[in-house]
Amino acid sequence: MRHGKKFNHLGRTASHRSALLSNMACSLIEHKRINTTVAKAKALRVYVEPLLTKAKEDTTHNRRVVFSYLQNKFAVAELFRTVAPKIAERNGGYTRIIKTGFRPGDAADTALIELVDFNELYNPNAEEKKATRRSRRSTAAPKKAEAVVADAPAVEKVEEAKADTTEEKTEE
């Protein structure tokens, strides 16, 4: 019986499972979202969220603890430099799992796991961009109209000057 055993072994030995979760955590930190099975995504969430919590305080000890889990200095650097400042004010729930259907080969239930603060579509706390976007027509049309209006008197003056010079030549 498996009463009270909440840890999913994912059909692997302990060393294989730790290597799998470490590699998946490095990929998640590097790419900000990855596609995997739902079972692996749930296991990864349990594995990576404590690491993200440790990354919020940048100390040598926390870096060494996170490195002992990830074994990848580039992922640790990315975590402490770019990810940690974005999740600093969040109290938990750093990842989101979105189910994406079934894999064609073996009909496994697949999911997208992503870091919540790095998705611009779902992030309501993101800074809103300035509303200075203008279409080309609205900016180009008034300038052309002003140019036409400004050129119109000049064209009339040129035509009047030509007419005056032709009249002077005919009079002579």
Side-chain angles (χ1 to χ4, degrees):
M1 287 189 250
R2 59 174 310 273
H3 295 301
K5 296 183 180 178
K6 297 180 181 178
F7 188 75
N8 190 349
H9 296 282
L10 300 174
R12 289 164 171 80
T13 62
S15 60
H16 188 184
R17 188 171 51 251
S18 69
L20 171 82
L21 292 173
S22 175
N23 289 332
M24 288 179 68
C26 291
S27 296
L28 179 65
I29 291 167
E30 182 183 347
H31 299 292
K32 313 301 186 259
R33 68 175 55 107
I34 56 173
N35 289 310
T36 184
T37 63
V38 173
K40 287 179 189 173
K42 288 180 179 180
L44 179 62
R45 178 175 55 192
V46 171
Y47 185 85
V48 79
E49 290 213 358
L51 300 180
L52 295 171
T53 303
K54 286 198 183 307
K56 289 165 74 171
E57 185 181 355
D58 190 4
T59 63
T60 305
H61 177 68
N62 284 347
R63 280 184 178 262
R64 287 177 177 167
V65 169
V66 170
F67 182 76
S68 72
Y69 282 90
L70 297 180
Q71 296 294 315
N72 185 339
K73 65 181 181 180
F74 300 110
V76 172
E78 176 79 11
L79 176 62
F80 279 89
R81 285 188 189 142
T82 61
V83 177
K86 276 200 151 183
I87 64 171
E89 68 277 354
R90 186 176 287 276
N91 291 328
Y94 310 112
T95 57
R96 175 186 296 124
I97 296 175
I98 302 170
K99 294 184 180 182
T100 57
F102 299 97
R103 194 161 49 200
D106 59 354
D109 197 9
T110 59
L112 171 81
I113 183 169
E114 64 182 359
L115 297 176
V116 171
D117 291 319
F118 286 89
N119 189 335
E120 290 79 23
L121 297 176
Y122 290 128
N123 193 358
N125 297 331
E127 297 176 9
E128 294 185 18
K129 296 180 182 177
K130 293 182 180 178
T132 58
R133 182 179 168 211
R134 298 180 186 138
S135 64
R136 290 179 179 237
R137 291 184 181 183
S138 64
T139 57
K143 289 182 181 177
K144 286 184 179 178
E146 291 173 8
V148 170
V149 172
D151 290 342
V155 171
E156 291 175 3
K157 289 180 183 178
V158 171
E159 290 175 358
E160 289 175 9
K162 286 182 182 178
D164 291 338
T165 54
T166 54
E167 288 177 8
E168 290 177 6
K169 288 182 183 177
T170 54
E171 289 176 2
E172 293 177 359

